[in-house]
Amino acid sequence: MRLIRPVRPFTTTRIIVLLFVIIAAAVVGRFVWDDVIDADEIPRGVTVAGVSIGNTDRETATERLAEVQVDGDATLTFAGESRTATLADWGVTLDTEATIDAAAATRGGFPVRLLRWGAAVVRDRTVDPVWTVDRAILEAHFGTDSADPDALEI
């Protein structure tokens, strides 16, 4: 005579393990999606100069960064000599490609993305814009051919 083993109902432990497996699969699936489908997008929650470019592709981010205005006065100091003028007078422009590269670099690796993905739900990450300075204008203002934009203090 063969004994039939009775079927046991799901226990609390089995339900907890099943929920853990489902959550782990969802997190891993989200990161696979992030690596494969959203690989060319700027990570969500990224802002540059008050403009949100997160969760967009490079083309859309470039269009949104066109909204960033270069305005205000700046005092530039080079080799101990200071001059004040507007940023436009200094030839300061936004380097959109370098700014988008800096924003895309915030993606990070798997454990970093896990933390940033969760944090992006509650707050934005700010990336500093990358500015370029016209070397010819600097040379004209400071009267030297060695005006190195990297040596400037703003």
Side-chain angles (χ1 to χ4, degrees), residues 3-148:
L3 295 175
I4 298 175
R5 186 172 169 197
V7 177
R8 293 188 325 190
F10 277 104
T11 62
T12 305
T13 306
R14 287 183 180 179
I15 292 173
I16 290 172
V17 168
L18 181 62
L19 286 174
F20 177 76
V21 168
I22 290 171
I23 291 170
V27 169
V28 169
R30 172 63 182 122
F31 285 105
V32 168
W33 179 278
D34 194 39
D35 278 342
V36 176
I37 305 298
D38 294 341
D40 293 334
E41 289 189 354
I42 309 297
R44 73 173 36 97
V46 174
T47 60
V48 175
V51 177
S52 175
I53 62 168
N55 213 25
T56 62
D57 59 6
R58 287 180 170 268
E59 183 178 317
T60 305
T62 302
E63 292 170 6
R64 288 187 183 174
L65 285 177
E67 301 171 13
V68 175
Q69 299 295 320
V70 178
D71 57 358
D73 292 340
T75 300
L76 273 62
T77 304
F78 178 73
E81 189 178 346
S82 295
R83 304 270 167 93
T84 301
T86 65
L87 290 172
D89 290 343
W90 290 120
V92 174
T93 57
L94 178 67
D95 186 345
T96 54
E97 288 301 316
T99 301
I100 290 171
D101 289 343
T106 64
R107 181 174 293 277
F110 180 78
V112 172
R113 268 189 289 157
L114 178 62
L115 297 173
R116 288 186 177 162
W117 184 55
V121 173
V122 291
R123 67 178 175 83
D124 289 340
R125 279 176 293 177
T126 302
V127 174
D128 292 330
V130 178
W131 303 103
T132 58
V133 180
D134 188 338
R135 183 182 206 90
I137 292 174
L138 288 179
E139 291 172 358
H141 277 283
F142 288 102
T144 178
D145 60 351
S146 62
D148 181 12

